[in-house]
Amino acid sequence: MNIKGLAEKHKEYTINMRREFHMYPEVSWEEVRTSKRVQEELNKINVPFKIIAKTGVVATIKGGQKGKTVALRADMDALQVQECNDVPYKSKNDGVMHACGHDGHTSMLLTAAKILNEVKDNIKGTIKLIFQPAEELAQGAKVMIKEGVMEGVDGVFGIHLWSDVEAGTVSVEEGPRMASADLFKITVKGLGGHGSLPHQGIDAVVVASAIVMDIQSIVSREISPLESAVVSIGKFQAGTRFNVIANEAILEGTTRCFDPSIREKLPGIIERIVTNTARSYRAEGSVEYTLGTPPTINEKKSSKIATKAVEKLYGKEAVAKLQKITGGEDYAMYLEKAPGVIAFVGIRNEEKGICHPHHHEKFDMDEDALVMGSALYAQYAIDFLKEE
Ligand code: NI
């Protein structure tokens, strides 16, 4: 099966689909048009599908012989970003833009569906194609899984197009690739009063400031220097007037790490610091901790299959190295259900002026790289299903 050739044959289709999705971006949970177009394209090639999680689409391609099941995943949502690119396929939805590359993910997976459908008689096993909503809110995967998308799945493969990776290369190394992303809200209760008489109140601004500083010691003093983690507070809200002692302060922040055991410890550490620091100032502190996504960790064997697939398609020089990323991906939730890998397919091309980071208003991709992504989706599925 010449997967590379088939992907090349559908290159124009892939790019046209990407441009169409790019022109009509939709934010999380509102991927109505995108979902409809995905369904129409699947209908054209007679690939059956189910609709779950509102706008999610799960297509199934059965091979000629019975075997294992592999899931291929793409996300479909866009971002609240005003596009500043001057291109013919510029976003037509004001204030919304495919600034993360999910338009490319969706189009590559549609092409992979075409390829796999064409060669299905020679495939041993079943392929599920997952078109997921609401990745940018880290909610889509959770709902898709709750509605049963991972039942009976033996392995999973996902792609993120990546602006830090040169077009023509792919990173699929094993181990932690993206961080967990959780969030917390701290409430400090003090006692209001007159700014000239601080001793009669309990100043929530001072207490919350002490908490912000004490929290800095988590990474530096409680996490091994050989590990990494991030604890950031991005919001600090308190007070109403220059001469009024604030009776309350609200802090909001996020944590990131690559090790599930560190992730488990962080809520307890933050809670301990918040309650004890607040108490030492006669105030009360409490924490609401919300789990977002776990770290995205590429499983060893799956990473090997993916590496070989890349080499088979485009040679050893196509295998890129990429440092792990402190951003989060809800794809990690599929990896909790089945072994698998996320591939970072390069889209950077400085010669074409394509060098802006994800979520930037001038984010774009080297569209020539999309062929590689479609080929890799298909090749991985075939190779995974062949493994004993
Ligand atoms: Ni993304």
Side-chain angles (χ1 to χ4, degrees):
M1 287 179 272
N2 179 8
I3 300 305
K4 188 181 169 183
L6 287 173
E8 197 62 39
K9 183 180 94 181
H10 296 303
K11 181 174 179 179
E12 208 183 306
Y13 170 81
T14 316
I15 293 175
N16 286 343
M17 288 310 299
R18 181 260 160 166
R19 291 188 174 193
E20 185 189 326
F21 291 130
H22 194 85
M23 277 193 274
Y24 302 100
E26 295 168 305
V27 298
S28 305
W29 294 125
E30 290 174 24
E31 308 89 346
V32 178
R33 185 191 182 280
T34 309
S35 173
K36 199 176 132 252
R37 287 294 293 117
V38 167
Q39 294 165 39
E40 284 168 5
E41 291 304 308
L42 291 168
N43 275 332
K44 280 186 201 166
I45 53 171
N46 290 316
V47 167
F49 58 84
K50 268 195 210 167
I51 298 157
I52 65 168
K54 273 186 177 175
T55 51
V57 181
V58 187
T60 306
I61 295 174
K62 285 202 163 112
Q65 288 179 63
K66 280 205 164 127
K68 293 191 289 188
T69 298
V70 65
L72 306 177
R73 178 270 206 170
D75 41 11
M76 304 186 288
D77 53 335
L79 290 158
Q80 287 87 346
V81 170
Q82 182 72 46
E83 175 153 25
C84 287
N85 284 315
D86 190 15
V87 287
Y89 49 88
K90 186 176 176 169
S91 169
K92 291 186 188 294
N93 295 348
D94 201 37
V96 185
M97 176 190 176
H98 266 295
C100 197
H102 300 188
D103 47 350
H105 303 169
T106 308
S107 68
M108 290 188 300
L109 192 57
L110 277 175
T111 303
K114 270 180 183 273
I115 297 170
L116 290 164
N117 197 44
E118 284 170 35
V119 300
K120 67 181 172 197
D121 291 345
N122 301 318
I123 291 176
K124 187 187 170 196
T126 301
I127 299 134
K128 269 193 187 183
L129 302 116
I130 302 176
F131 297 88
Q132 177 209 306
E135 193 285 323
E136 296 291 356
L137 294 174
Q139 293 174 355
K142 202 184 219 168
V143 181
M144 295 287 279
I145 291 166
K146 209 172 147 200
E147 298 193 13
V149 78
M150 288 300 279
E151 277 162 29
V153 171
D154 302 295
V156 59
F157 179 80
I159 288 180
H160 209 305
L161 294 166
W162 209 251
S163 68
D164 285 332
V165 178
E166 288 299 324
T169 66
V170 186
S171 148
V172 285
E173 52 260 66
E174 66 173 88
R177 306 305 298 138
M178 293 183 87
S180 61
D182 300 327
L183 49 144
F184 59 87
K185 180 179 175 183
I186 297 168
T187 305
V188 173
K189 293 238 180 274
L191 182 67
H194 199 290
S196 67
L197 299 162
H199 61 292
Q200 291 180 359
I202 299 171
D203 190 344
V205 168
V206 172
V207 182
S209 302
I211 288 172
V212 171
M213 295 311 291
D214 287 350
I215 272 179
Q216 306 308 312
S217 70
I218 297 174
V219 174
S220 68
R221 304 289 92 178
E222 295 198 48
I223 307 288
S224 159
L226 301 177
E227 299 290 342
S228 60
V230 177
V231 181
S232 288
I233 289 177
K235 185 173 169 183
F236 187 131
Q237 217 168 35
T240 53
R241 224 187 106 88
F242 76 98
N243 61 354
V244 174
I245 299 285
N247 63 3
E248 190 184 77
I250 306 281
L251 306 173
E252 285 177 27
T254 184
T255 62
R256 308 289 163 119
C257 65
F258 296 97
D259 181 339
S261 70
I262 294 175
R263 183 183 185 221
E264 235 168 70
K265 276 187 222 156
L266 286 171
I269 299 175
I270 292 173
E271 168 107 34
R272 189 193 75 231
I273 291 173
V274 168
T275 49
N276 287 305
T277 299
R279 197 175 297 148
S280 73
Y281 287 90
R282 299 171 291 138
E284 261 175 54
S286 59
V287 185
E288 268 172 65
Y289 204 94
T290 308
L291 294 176
T293 64
T296 303
I297 302 170
N298 281 354
E299 189 259 340
K300 193 174 176 175
K301 199 176 160 202
S302 311
S303 159
K304 262 200 191 124
I305 300 171
T307 308
K308 278 192 191 148
V310 175
E311 290 175 358
K312 197 184 294 178
L313 290 165
Y314 298 101
K316 275 196 181 359
E317 32 336 312
V319 179
K321 286 263 171 267
L322 175 71
Q323 275 198 325
K324 49 191 198 237
I325 297 154
T326 48
E329 235 299 342
D330 77 357
Y331 176 73
M333 293 179 194
Y334 300 106
L335 291 175
E336 287 188 323
K337 300 288 170 195
V341 59
I342 189 164
F344 295 98
V345 172
I347 48 169
R348 187 182 191 84
N349 190 331
E350 300 231 13
E351 265 173 39
K352 294 183 184 172
I354 297 164
C355 50
H356 292 94
H358 293 261
H359 296 200
H360 191 280
E361 67 266 18
K362 284 194 161 185
F363 173 83
D364 205 350
M365 59 181 69
D366 183 351
E367 290 174 322
D368 289 333
L370 295 175
V371 177
M372 217 171 173
S374 338
L376 189 55
Y377 266 132
Q379 191 71 58
Y380 184 89
I382 292 164
D383 293 353
F384 175 86
L385 292 174
K386 264 192 209 152
E387 294 272 322
E388 284 313 311

